Amino acid sequence: MLTIYNSLTRQKQPFIPIQAGKIGLYVCGMTVYDYCHIGHARVIVVFDTVVRYLRSLGYHVTYIRNITDIDDKIIQRAHENGETIENLTNRFIQAMHEDTAALGVLLPDDEPRATQFIPQIITIIQRLLDNGYAYITPHGDVCYAVQHFTNYGKLSGKRLEDLRAGERVEIDRSKQHPLDFVLWKAAKPNEPSWSSPWGAGRPGWHIECSAMSTHCLGNHFDIHGGGMDLQFPHHENEIAQSEGATGEPFVNVWMHNGFVRINDEKMSKSLGNFFTVREVLKQYSAEVIRYFILTSHYRSPLNYSDQELESAKQALTRLYTTLRGLSTIAEPELDNLYEQRFISAMNDDFNTPEALAILFDLSKEVNKLKDKEPMQATRLGNQLRRLGGIMGLLQIEPETFLQGQLESLSTQEIEHLITERQAARSRRDWAMADQIRDQLQASGIILEDTAQGTSWRVM
RNA sequence: GGCUGAGUGGCAGAGUGGCUAUGCAGCGGAUUGCAAAUUCGUUUCACGUCGGUUCAAAUCCGGCCUCAGCCUCCA
């Protein structure tokens, strides 16, 4: 039985979909004004893995990951760059698609953009005004009145009276309560705006997710995800908006993933301590990054360092080494102990580190069987590939992984040197053979002699 | 100040009231012409600290210490 930790109840709960066999999943995606960093990669990879696993269980999943393409930072960045907002957002949406594709992430079923949902946003705001959850300020903004929503704070466990409003940001006197937030911002000069019943303006930060999620998945849906930092206020506000407008419960299960850290500090744009996905891809393959992300449980912090990525690379090398030379044709093993352990690990709130440990046990088993029982080794090897695939791993040719990112020498040169060395070995000229091997090693190529001949891989 | 969460062997990172996590790195054996890969082994308590419950706790309960996050934009 699949159990998921629900931020709303602060405990693991058996997962029961609203409609049998179907799951609606919404994840807060990017605000597109810059390149994806490793923190973004984590959310994307984690929920990609969640979706793959849910589908492997037989659920029909509708996966929505939105794009926020209008907000203060976008407007500011476009202005700084001297480019149009549309140009900026399109550029970074394309970059994001390149990055996610590189990381082996499946496309969501829909990728709605905030600017395409202005009519739906206006409808929700109107309903909130009608239902008494919103008011218009003297500046012409429309604000949400948090005190009118009884359950405000239920997701983040906060009580209005405990929050230190005004501690770090000056209180806006035009609001009825300091924590009231803007639904609709009155237009300022030189800013994009849409017309509305309350005059020209643009949506506030939180409202677009209420509009897009309920439009794509219905007023009440199964799972909503995102980074921990969105729990408050973003997701809290989404609940207030959506439930205030529809009068129905909004989301059953809230999932929040932990941060990527660098030296025990959160990786974030505001701290400036981030690495972009494309930067890291220059040094490590996408699958190494993906593996690295999955080595810790999604709710735990993930410490980023070169040493950890290097370790991830070595670990993946081990798995691919096991798969090397195994035919992919044979039927994989199915309902054995490894499978059961894998499923029970993933059923336990998507415990990917545990699931990976089982892949290594399986890998060891395959290695042991390779010589004695090649057929069984092949079947287990294919099971390893299949289970890895549920986490988006082990889907490329072992040789492609092991020989990838070749820099110094061409494949032909390497093959040529191997042939020469083979000749030296057959005439027992060990000095010559070792010299060639050392020469290759200096270029980052490792040789491995087997009964079937010599193979090579990149260090 | 309020609210979350966390403290496990050299590093990373799971987990269960009593029995080997796993990976990387190191060391030793097998294997190899030598390597690499693979495999086997790796000594005494690895489980923040102080108490409590228990025949038994790193695992349950309580206090304390330390760290991170949220209460502003952030994945």
Side-chain angles (χ1 to χ4, degrees), chain A residues 17 53 69 71 79 113 121 217 243 361 408 440 442 448:
Chain A
Y53 182 64
D69 62 351
D71 92 322
H79 185 71
R113 297 205 207 178
I121 288 171
L217 296 170
E243 298 191 351
D361 287 344
S408 42
L440 281 166
E448 288 165 14

Side-chain angles (χ1 to χ4, degrees), chain A residues 176-286:
Chain A
Q176 293 175 2
H177 183 101
L179 285 161
D180 288 353
F181 54 92
V182 179
L183 298 167
W184 188 260
K185 282 189 185 192
K188 290 181 190 149
N190 299 323
E191 281 189 2
S193 67
W194 290 263
S195 61
S196 82
W198 323 285
R202 60 187 169 91
W205 174 36
H206 317 288
I207 192 69
E208 86 279 16
C209 279
S210 285
M212 291 186 276
S213 61
T214 54
H215 180 268
C216 296
L217 296 170
N219 291 345
H220 179 203
F221 60 94
D222 296 292
I223 307 175
H224 189 128
M228 295 275 268
D229 44 2
L230 297 182
Q231 193 175 5
F232 189 91
H234 184 59
H235 290 160
E236 198 71 71
N237 292 352
E238 270 188 61
I239 294 174
Q241 290 165 342
S242 306
E243 298 191 351
T246 68
E248 295 175 46
F250 180 41
V251 168
N252 280 358
V253 180
W254 286 87
M255 290 177 66
H256 295 280
N257 67 275
F259 297 123
V260 176
R261 290 196 211 164
I262 293 181
N263 299 325
D264 284 336
E265 247 187 352
K266 173 181 171 183
M267 176 187 285
S268 74
K269 296 219 170 139
S270 35
L271 290 169
N273 60 349
F274 63 90
F275 291 88
T276 63
V277 170
R278 46 195 56 209
E279 243 175 313
V280 180
L281 277 173
K282 286 178 191 159
Q283 217 183 335
Y284 295 97
S285 78

Side-chain angles (χ1 to χ4, degrees), chain A residues 180-393:
Chain A
D180 288 353
F181 54 92
V182 179
L183 298 167
W184 188 260
K185 282 189 185 192
K188 290 181 190 149
N190 299 323
E191 281 189 2
S193 67
W194 290 263
S195 61
S196 82
W198 323 285
R202 60 187 169 91
W205 174 36
H206 317 288
I207 192 69
E208 86 279 16
C209 279
S210 285
M212 291 186 276
S213 61
T214 54
H215 180 268
C216 296
L217 296 170
N219 291 345
H220 179 203
F221 60 94
D222 296 292
I223 307 175
H224 189 128
M228 295 275 268
D229 44 2
L230 297 182
Q231 193 175 5
F232 189 91
H234 184 59
H235 290 160
E236 198 71 71
N237 292 352
E238 270 188 61
I239 294 174
Q241 290 165 342
S242 306
E243 298 191 351
T246 68
E248 295 175 46
F250 180 41
V251 168
N252 280 358
V253 180
W254 286 87
M255 290 177 66
H256 295 280
N257 67 275
F259 297 123
V260 176
R261 290 196 211 164
I262 293 181
N263 299 325
D264 284 336
E265 247 187 352
K266 173 181 171 183
M267 176 187 285
S268 74
K269 296 219 170 139
S270 35
L271 290 169
N273 60 349
F274 63 90
F275 291 88
T276 63
V277 170
R278 46 195 56 209
E279 243 175 313
V280 180
L281 277 173
K282 286 178 191 159
Q283 217 183 335
Y284 295 97
S285 78
E287 194 169 349
V288 168
I289 299 174
R290 189 177 177 105
Y291 178 92
F292 163 69
I293 288 169
L294 296 176
T295 52
S296 87
H297 182 83
Y298 76 90
R299 283 187 284 116
S300 302
L302 175 63
N303 232 355
Y304 178 93
S305 73
D306 277 352
Q307 195 196 343
E308 287 317 305
L309 281 170
E310 198 54 49
S311 167
K313 180 181 169 185
Q314 294 309 323
L316 259 184
T317 298
R318 180 174 163 82
L319 294 177
Y320 270 117
T321 302
T322 295
L323 294 178
R324 171 137 77 168
L326 291 182
S327 155
T328 53
I329 294 168
E331 285 293 306
E333 276 291 314
L334 285 172
D335 192 27
N336 58 9
L337 189 61
Y338 296 107
E339 184 95 8
Q340 290 157 19
R341 288 172 61 207
F342 182 89
I343 289 170
S344 91
M346 291 297 280
N347 271 347
D348 182 14
D349 196 27
F350 310 101
N351 192 336
T352 54
E354 181 80 23
L356 285 173
I358 292 147
L359 296 192
F360 283 98
D361 287 344
L362 188 48
S363 161
K364 179 170 287 192
E365 183 73 15
V366 173
N367 286 334
K368 281 199 254 189
L369 289 172
K370 260 183 176 173
D371 290 334
K372 290 178 247 167
E373 298 180 56
M375 277 311 295
Q376 182 59 7
T378 303
R379 289 163 56 96
L380 288 170
N382 285 333
Q383 182 184 25
L384 175 57
R385 266 195 197 94
R386 193 171 56 77
L387 294 180
I390 292 174
M391 292 191 281
L393 299 170

Side-chain angles (χ1 to χ4, degrees), chain A residues 6-219:
Chain A
N6 188 353
S7 304
L8 198 56
T9 56
R10 273 170 275 283
Q11 59 189 10
K12 281 187 208 170
Q13 297 176 312
F15 176 74
I16 299 159
I18 295 168
Q19 244 188 298
K22 291 187 180 176
I23 296 176
L25 169 65
Y26 183 92
V27 172
C28 288
M30 293 270 296
T31 299
V32 281
Y33 67 97
D34 209 337
Y35 293 112
C36 295
H37 65 230
I38 298 296
H40 299 117
R42 187 176 193 192
V43 192
I44 291 168
V45 166
V46 160
F47 285 100
D48 180 62
T49 305
V50 166
V51 169
R52 284 170 187 262
Y53 182 64
L54 294 175
R55 288 189 178 142
S56 82
L57 291 179
Y59 286 110
H60 183 273
V61 181
T62 306
Y63 176 33
I64 312 295
R65 189 182 62 218
N66 79 289
I67 293 172
T68 297
D69 62 351
I70 179 70
D71 92 322
D72 292 351
K73 290 193 168 170
I74 291 173
I75 294 168
Q76 192 191 333
R77 183 62 61 88
H79 185 71
E80 285 166 13
N81 290 357
E83 67 182 318
T84 65
I85 284 167
E86 205 178 29
N87 198 56
L88 176 88
T89 55
N90 282 337
R91 233 160 29 87
F92 286 112
I93 287 170
Q94 197 191 330
M96 175 190 70
H97 283 150
E98 287 164 12
D99 291 342
T100 57
L103 290 170
V105 169
L106 304 170
L107 283 174
D109 295 293
D110 198 359
E111 213 170 30
R113 297 205 207 178
T115 54
Q116 297 164 341
F117 279 77
I118 303 296
Q120 290 87 342
I121 288 171
I122 289 173
T123 304
I124 294 187
I125 297 175
Q126 188 57 55
R127 262 191 214 129
L128 289 171
L129 282 163
D130 295 345
N131 294 350
Y133 287 109
Y135 59 92
I136 298 171
T137 72
H139 308 318
D141 298 336
V142 183
C143 275
Y144 193 98
V146 292
Q147 289 168 107
H148 293 195
F149 187 70
T150 351
N151 281 325
Y152 192 79
K154 70 175 172 183
L155 175 66
S156 49
K158 295 185 191 306
R159 297 184 307 161
L160 286 176
E161 52 271 33
D162 290 338
L163 296 171
R164 287 188 160 191
E167 172 87 359
R168 290 194 281 174
V169 168
E170 207 176 329
I171 291 171
D172 182 347
R173 293 290 159 201
S174 66
K175 291 179 183 174
Q176 293 175 2
H177 183 101
L179 285 161
D180 288 353
F181 54 92
V182 179
L183 298 167
W184 188 260
K185 282 189 185 192
K188 290 181 190 149
N190 299 323
E191 281 189 2
S193 67
W194 290 263
S195 61
S196 82
W198 323 285
R202 60 187 169 91
W205 174 36
H206 317 288
I207 192 69
E208 86 279 16
C209 279
S210 285
M212 291 186 276
S213 61
T214 54
H215 180 268
C216 296
L217 296 170
N219 291 345

